[in-house]
Amino acid sequence: MAVGPFPGERATGSLGHKPTTSISSVTSTCSPRPFSRPSNLSRPLFGEIIPVCDLYSIANVVVFPSSPSSLSSSPPQSPSRPYSQQHGTGTGTVSHENTPPSPFIEALQNIGLGSPSWSASAISVFTIILPTANGYVTRSDFLKLRLQDFPYKILRSYEPLRPLQKYIATSPTPGPVTSEYDLASLVDSAAGVVQWEDLPTSVSFVDLEVYRTRLTEELRDRLHNAPWLSSTPIPRKRVALIRGRPNITAGGPVYRAAKALGLDLVIVDEEGHWLQADTEENKMHREAFLGTDMTEDAGVVDRIIESIVSYPLPIHGVFTLSDNFFVAVAQVAEALGLPASPVSAFETSVDKYRSRLLQNVPGQTARVSSVEELESLLSAGSSQQAEFIPRFPVIVKPTKGWSSECVSKVNNLGDLATAVQKATSRHGSAAVIEPFFDGPEMDVNFVLLDGEILFSEIADEPPCDADSRSATVHSTFSPEALTLPSALPSDEQDIAKSTLRDILVNIGFCTGVFHVEARMVNSSFEYRKQDDVVDLVRKHSQSLPDSGAECKLIEINARPPGYRVTVPTRHTYGVDYFVAHMLAAAGDKNRLRLTTKPYAHVLGDNINDAQRGAQYWSRLVYIPAPAAGTVQWPSKLAPCEALKRQRPDLADKIVLGVDYCVPGDKVELYTDGARTYVAHLLVVSRESRKDVIRLGDEVQKAFAIDVEAPSKASSELSDGETMVDLDGDGSE
């Protein structure tokens, strides 16, 4: 029996390689050494120290289920034969219970790894993580973050470091470990230890060597110079979150990130918020709750300031994830002298008319407060007529809004009033009329430090209903999926990043996390169906644009993307936007730089391509409500779980599934002009982008949720909440 390939690989041999005839032939520059027997081990073990980058070494340890005398100091005669055939191990073999105590095994058991009774029919593999220099812990869950969705199954892991504590590094010499006591000492001083899923004794020595090589290479890509430790002490700080999250699903990643960073979190929100009660569970999520009247009026800034000033302990930063509190929180930070971007920058970003003027098209952008004002603007006698001449199609949207709510694409003058009426009815704001920019839509996310891009990614948003040529004023811009990393050519990605970064810096945003939506006009790529998959592909030569590509801003969100998008980025790239957002708010520039290093993986064949950093292709699939009515779960299982059980062929491709509704919740097809979502799932592929899109399409088709029409719903069901915005504030 051979060890299987990494998920997504096509096996051409025992591990996706052609069969080999010698152990050394499968090694590479970062490969482990071939097996040899250390002279003084009291257990059948093999351990080796391997440097994987400047910041880390690892110790891979293999525990064999056989007596020490069965190991040979030279390569086996038949490397392709199973280990059990060469050494007679298997069911019925004497276990280790009668052998002397093993220091290494005892050290593992002391930290909760290994097994009290070692199996005689399996090979155990452990990896010890060893930073190469002393330092202070930037985040206590670093190893968990970097190893998420690892291609080989992790049975258990040990991560003993506390946030901010000092770690003293060991400097073991690379090469085989010659003492079990040395291995035990490494366990005691490790920053982390991982126990991988056991291998069968039927595995050949060649396959076992390939397994260790692959394991080492994968760890190298995940740990590659990503700092876990700071060379200088990290002062403990306290930050205030203005408006706590509406539920644990949306808030959990924020609270857990604060805890891992060693940031004390104070919540400022309305009386009666679910985090207010001083329960043991709530205390795990926040240090304190400051009940405050959050009515959005002229006095809200003063009330927030009063709550913060009255708190007996110092607060070093304030932040929010709620779009409608950006300006207020910036004003609070300014009044208290806390780190934040200028108030004027937030005032520009939240006003879609003002942000549109950053790339103004003369005569094609207008702002109106009512249909009557629109009619006046368009009337023949209007003095403004020469200033505004709409060229259809145009976009009409609220100057204040989010999640594509009440955004309309208008193809003719007759529908303009309908769109303006819809936009001005949302949030009591005016409507902005602006050009429709035709081209691939994208989300461009930044982590900036003093104007420098520490990390940036582009995700592709496939065409939605309103992008269709047959779209009407009632069609929506609600997204259906998001694909990471982008398929746009690297030069167009560079244009997008440089254009949008300059816009951010020019209006005053220099440090923080920013979620920017844009379109690439005159792109050399377009969405087209090819090989049964709709994706970005290069345009036919006759369709290539005459002029160069341009990036056109849609809107600026001075925050991380919402929960639905931030968590997939953490899975795909290993970068946590919530962590970066809080560190920016606390003014912790050192850790902001240290915590934004993506993986070192490369997708595809070009090592210089723009896809560096993603461990796989991922597709975030949005599930819209199939009908209006009351949610039911006939199988008694949540729909995401039911899908995985009914389609085991898809289950291992779904790394994240979140249901928004429970039985009894009432949903509508649309909420404020946007589709109502009932779930989202993150689907991944290590094979290709085409494969992940195909998988996403399969998941979307297979997902099932029952919604009973209002006339059929039982009157005994409790009134539920319409589920459209998981974050409760408009963020995705």
Side-chain angles (χ1 to χ4, degrees), residues 465-516:
D465 288 345
D467 284 309
S468 169
R469 293 184 179 180
S470 60
T472 71
V473 69
H474 301 293
S475 301
T476 78
F477 283 96
S478 300
E480 297 179 2
L482 205 64
T483 311
L484 293 77
S486 176
L488 288 173
S490 57
D491 60 331
E492 294 185 13
Q493 293 194 43
D494 290 341
I495 290 170
K497 291 179 180 180
S498 62
T499 299
L500 299 175
R501 177 264 175 200
D502 289 349
I503 288 175
L504 291 170
V505 171
N506 288 340
I507 64 175
F509 288 127
C510 292
T511 297
V513 182
F514 305 94
H515 170 58
V516 186

Side-chain angles (χ1 to χ4, degrees), residues 633-645:
W633 292 357
S635 67
K636 308 302 181 184
L637 289 174
C640 285
E641 180 61 26
L643 170 63
K644 289 189 283 187
R645 293 195 186 187

Side-chain angles (χ1 to χ4, degrees), residues 289-318:
F289 183 92
L290 306 181
T292 308
D293 179 1
M294 303 300 290
T295 304
E296 296 178 51
D297 56 21
V300 69
V301 172
D302 290 337
R303 294 193 297 273
I304 295 172
I305 291 174
E306 182 181 356
S307 291
I308 291 174
V309 170
S310 67
Y311 191 62
L313 298 173
I315 289 179
H316 305 93
V318 292

Side-chain angles (χ1 to χ4, degrees), residues 396-397 406 408-410 415-424 431 473:
V396 179
K397 58 188 179 184
C406 301
S408 304
K409 179 181 176 183
V410 181
D415 287 334
L416 199 53
T418 301
V420 167
Q421 175 61 39
K422 182 167 64 172
T424 54
V473 69

Side-chain angles (χ1 to χ4, degrees), residues 640-661:
C640 285
E641 180 61 26
L643 170 63
K644 289 189 283 187
R645 293 195 186 187
Q646 292 165 8
R647 292 291 303 272
D649 58 317
L650 297 175
D652 65 340
K653 306 296 184 182
I654 300 172
V655 299
L656 183 70
V658 180
D659 294 288
Y660 305 167
C661 308

Side-chain angles (χ1 to χ4, degrees), residues 80-136:
S80 61
R81 288 177 59 201
Y83 180 88
S84 58
Q85 291 182 18
Q86 296 186 60
H87 299 291
T89 60
T91 305
T93 303
V94 177
S95 73
H96 298 299
E97 293 178 0
N98 297 322
T99 57
S102 160
F104 173 65
I105 289 174
E106 286 185 346
L108 290 175
Q109 292 176 346
N110 287 339
I111 61 173
L113 303 187
S115 170
S117 177
W118 292 81
S119 170
S121 58
I123 298 172
S124 299
V125 183
F126 300 86
T127 297
I128 304 169
I129 311 297
L130 302 164
T132 56
N134 300 344
Y136 298 85

